[in-house]
């Protein structure tokens, strides 16, 4: 096979940025241009095509030392076949089958709506394109608009998407608060986009929604060097977001709600207390137990589901149990381990006496608590604790769904992380229940 020679026209860096925007027309063209720069080891120019978030991971040094070294090991480029493409919500996946002299590889690029590179992956030539997020049937794009916003203005400022109904407002609004881990604004997990589903579903029903990238997603390295707590990880940005959404001209500032998923639900009582102006709060699969207990229970569930632990897995489980025991005995002023279960000791010390249901009981705003009964991460045990802690209160509505998992996606049988790789959307009845509950809360 005759070798392919890659040809380029040298352009000034500033002009490349302009051209990058123009490349957005067909994703295959934008992807091919980025691919050619990568294969030619032109990492500085390739870096200029990256999204801001991708630049923090794919630095020129990382591209040269890690990615470039791997590409070099493949040998010389012999053939680049036409790409496979797939739309995943607002991004495009473009995968080029490339035959090198030593092996064949599919080089996959994820492109945002402006043609910027948001992700880079090498896949086996036999691997199909990954399952991608599909817009749910209840999302009606003709009924809403998106606008980019920034939460905060200091060193921790975050990008977000404000999705609002078309037509004349003002509209009620919801701020979405993430679960654990470094989540993006869509709460993307494999082929699912839980927050994108909720945002577009509610906006299609006349409710504005603000979602944003989590602080630990954008500033992971900086956060890892600090003894942060739930306040810095979640609460502070949620309160900033509720303040921002009130200032949007399309929003009725007296009808702003917060919706917390998992850890976000756990934080809702503190968010509501600090904001002090919310019209109501929604808790989706909210954690009610101590975080170390939830983490340990999840691990034990997964090991049991696979038929038991290997010796190595059992060792890791024993280490988790030992760290959980240390967390339970943690005290202020003691010489505590700096890191426990991957989080600063200060994080657990702050939550040592925190009971979210008891805190929620002090709130006077309306609350809606929803739970998937197939959820193995935040279980019916947590749901029961919320119900017990809020028993007798008249401002809380509870509802559970037999077939739904932690992401409120329908399925059969025991749930597992593998289920998330298959895609799916938040169940329509959840969108209906949330929108109906908000519509009934009029001031």
């Amino acid at each position: 096979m005759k070798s392919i020679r890659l040809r380029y026209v040298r352009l000034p860096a500033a002009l490349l940025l302009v051209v990058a925007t123009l490349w957005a027309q067909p994703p295959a063209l934008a992807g091919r241009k980025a691919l050619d720069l990568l294969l030619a080891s032109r990492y500085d120019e390739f870096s200029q095509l990256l999204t801001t978030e991708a630049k923090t991971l794919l630095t020129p040094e990382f591209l040269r030392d890690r990615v470039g070294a791997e590409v070099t090991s493949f040998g010389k480029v012999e053939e680049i076949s036409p790409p496979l493409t797939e739309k995943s919500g607002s991004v495009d996946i473009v995968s080029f089958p490339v035959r090198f002299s030593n092996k064949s590889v599919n080089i996959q690029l994820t492109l945002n709506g402006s043609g910027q590179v948001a992700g880079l992956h090498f896949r086996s030539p036999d691997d199909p394109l990954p399952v991608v997020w599909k817009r749910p049937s209840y999302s009606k794009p003709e009924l809403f608009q998106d606008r980019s916003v920034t939460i905060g203005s200091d060193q921790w400022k975050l990008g977000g998407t404000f999705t609002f109904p078309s037509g004349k407002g003002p509209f009620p609004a919801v701020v979405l608060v993430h679960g654990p881990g470094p989540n993006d604004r869509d709460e993307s997990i494999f082929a699912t986009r839980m927050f994108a589903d909720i945002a577009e579903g509610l906006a299609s029903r006349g409710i504005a929604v603000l979602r944003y990238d989590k602080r630990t997603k954008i500033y992971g390295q900086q956060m890892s060097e600090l003894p942060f707590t739930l306040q810095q990880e979640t609460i502070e940005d949620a309160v900033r977001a509720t303040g921002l959404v009130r200032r949007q001209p399309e929003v009725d500032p007296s009808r702003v709600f917060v919706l917390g998923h998992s850890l976000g639900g756990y934080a809702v009582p503190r968010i509501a207390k600090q904001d002090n102006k919310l019209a109501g709060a929604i808790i989706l699969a909210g954690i009610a137990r101590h975080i170390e207990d939830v983490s340990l229970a999840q691990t034990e569930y997964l090991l049991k589901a696979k038929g038991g632990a290997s010796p190595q897995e059992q060792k890791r489980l024993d280490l988790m149990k030992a760290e959980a025991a240390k967390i339970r005995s943690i005290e202020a002023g003691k010489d505590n381990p700096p890191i426990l279960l991957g989080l600063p000791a200060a994080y657990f010390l702050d939550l040592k006496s925190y009971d979210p249901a008891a805190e929620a009981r002090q709130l006077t705003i309306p609350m809606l608590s929803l739970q998937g009964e197939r959820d193995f991460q935040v279980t019916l045990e947590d749901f029961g604790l919320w119900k017990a802690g809020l028993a007798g209160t008249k401002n809380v509505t509870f509802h559970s769904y037999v077939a739904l998992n932690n992401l409120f996606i329908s399925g059969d049988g025991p749930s597992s992380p593998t289920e998330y790789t298959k895609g799916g959307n938040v169940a329509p009845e959840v969108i209906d229940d949330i929108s109906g509950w908000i519509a009934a809360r009029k001031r």
Side-chain angles (χ1 to χ4, degrees):
M1 175 64 65
K2 184 177 179 181
S3 296
I4 290 179
R5 177 177 295 179
L6 304 177
R7 293 181 174 272
Y8 304 91
V9 176
R10 293 277 181 183
L11 294 174
L15 184 55
L16 274 171
L17 291 174
V18 177
V19 175
T21 302
L22 298 177
W23 286 345
Q25 289 115 22
L29 178 61
R32 179 54 191 265
K33 202 73 175 182
L35 175 69
D36 288 350
L37 289 172
L38 182 69
L39 295 178
S41 303
R42 294 169 64 179
Y43 304 126
D44 288 338
E45 291 167 81
F46 180 85
S47 294
Q48 293 174 30
L49 307 184
L50 298 173
T51 63
T52 301
E53 182 179 327
K55 285 179 180 178
T56 65
L57 301 172
L58 299 174
T59 63
E61 294 76 21
F62 182 87
L63 289 168
R64 181 189 65 239
D65 299 338
R66 296 285 295 277
V67 178
E70 188 167 5
V71 171
T72 299
S73 72
F74 299 156
K76 294 183 178 180
V77 176
E78 294 187 345
E79 183 178 16
I80 302 175
S81 299
L84 302 172
T85 61
E86 182 69 75
K87 189 77 174 175
S88 180
S90 61
V91 302
D92 292 282
I93 294 177
V94 184
S95 182
F96 291 90
V98 183
R99 183 157 59 83
F100 295 88
S101 56
N102 295 338
K103 69 183 298 184
S104 294
V105 177
N106 283 356
I107 299 181
Q108 176 186 307
L109 297 154
T110 302
L111 306 174
N112 69 8
S114 299
Q116 293 177 297
V117 178
L120 170 67
H121 301 278
F122 295 157
R123 300 187 298 108
S124 165
D126 299 324
D127 288 347
L129 278 178
V131 177
V132 297
W133 176 74
K134 303 289 186 183
R135 176 170 272 120
S137 60
Y138 48 74
S139 171
K140 309 296 182 185
E142 69 276 11
L143 299 180
F144 61 82
Q145 303 173 54
D146 285 329
R147 182 164 68 235
S148 294
V149 295
T150 302
I151 292 86
S153 57
D154 60 7
Q155 71 206 67
W156 306 112
K157 64 183 178 182
L158 299 167
T161 300
F162 178 57
T163 304
F164 57 99
S166 301
K168 187 177 180 180
F171 304 102
V174 179
V175 171
L176 306 185
V177 184
H178 325 75
N183 284 290
D184 64 18
R185 68 190 67 182
D186 290 338
E187 224 182 31
S188 304
I189 302 176
F190 295 110
T192 67
R193 303 286 186 272
M194 182 181 179
F195 277 8
D197 291 347
I198 293 173
E200 295 194 1
L202 294 183
S204 298
R205 288 160 173 74
I207 300 166
V209 180
L210 175 62
R211 62 195 195 274
Y212 54 92
D213 299 319
K214 195 172 178 181
R215 189 180 295 196
T216 48
K217 174 72 174 177
I218 304 303
Y219 303 105
Q221 181 60 45
Q222 296 95 314
M223 292 289 285
S224 69
E225 298 168 357
L226 300 172
F228 67 87
T229 67
L230 185 67
Q231 174 69 22
Q232 291 79 40
E233 181 203 24
T234 297
I235 297 167
E236 184 174 300
D237 295 321
V239 173
R240 289 180 175 188
T242 57
L244 175 66
V245 84
R246 285 191 185 94
R247 298 193 294 273
Q248 303 308 302
E250 298 84 2
V251 170
D252 178 350
S254 70
R255 297 187 68 202
V256 172
F257 300 78
V258 68
L259 182 156
H261 174 231
S262 187
L263 182 72
Y266 178 77
V268 155
R270 286 189 174 183
I271 295 168
K273 184 177 180 180
Q274 290 190 29
D275 178 278
N276 200 34
K277 297 177 185 177
L278 291 174
I282 303 158
I283 299 169
L284 300 190
I287 296 171
R289 293 170 286 165
H290 289 299
I291 291 172
E292 63 272 18
D293 296 329
V294 174
S295 299
L296 192 58
Q298 287 179 18
T299 302
E300 292 175 329
Y301 170 91
L302 293 174
L303 291 176
K304 183 178 179 181
K306 70 184 287 289
S310 67
Q312 188 175 13
E313 289 170 334
Q314 185 60 50
K315 184 177 181 180
R316 285 198 296 266
L317 177 59
D318 292 341
L319 288 172
M320 279 191 69
K321 289 180 178 179
E323 290 207 8
K326 291 177 182 177
I327 290 169
R328 296 185 192 106
S329 63
I330 199 170
E331 290 182 20
K334 285 182 60 177
D335 187 18
N336 301 303
I339 301 294
L340 291 164
L341 294 181
L343 290 167
Y347 192 97
F348 294 105
L349 188 60
D350 171 62
L351 299 173
K352 187 173 178 64
S353 61
Y354 179 55
D355 181 341
E359 294 278 348
R361 194 177 184 87
Q362 306 305 313
L363 301 176
T364 58
I365 59 174
M367 289 179 280
L368 174 66
S369 178
L370 305 181
Q371 176 71 39
E373 295 186 17
R374 292 178 58 251
D375 189 344
F376 75 89
Q377 294 177 265
V378 182
T379 69
L380 287 171
E381 180 179 353
D382 294 272
F383 192 55
L385 289 171
W386 284 104
K387 294 176 78 171
L390 293 165
T393 58
K394 297 181 180 180
N395 60 323
V396 187
T397 301
F398 292 96
H399 189 73
S400 65
Y401 307 85
V402 174
L404 304 190
N405 62 18
N406 181 259
L407 305 181
F408 290 82
I409 297 172
S410 182
D412 298 310
S415 182
S416 74
T418 303
E419 185 176 4
Y420 304 156
T421 68
K422 299 176 183 177
N425 300 106
V426 172
E429 57 266 33
V430 175
I431 303 300
D432 290 340
D433 289 345
I434 294 172
S435 59
W437 182 84
I438 290 174
R441 258 90 229 148
K442 297 181 179 179
R443 288 189 175 182

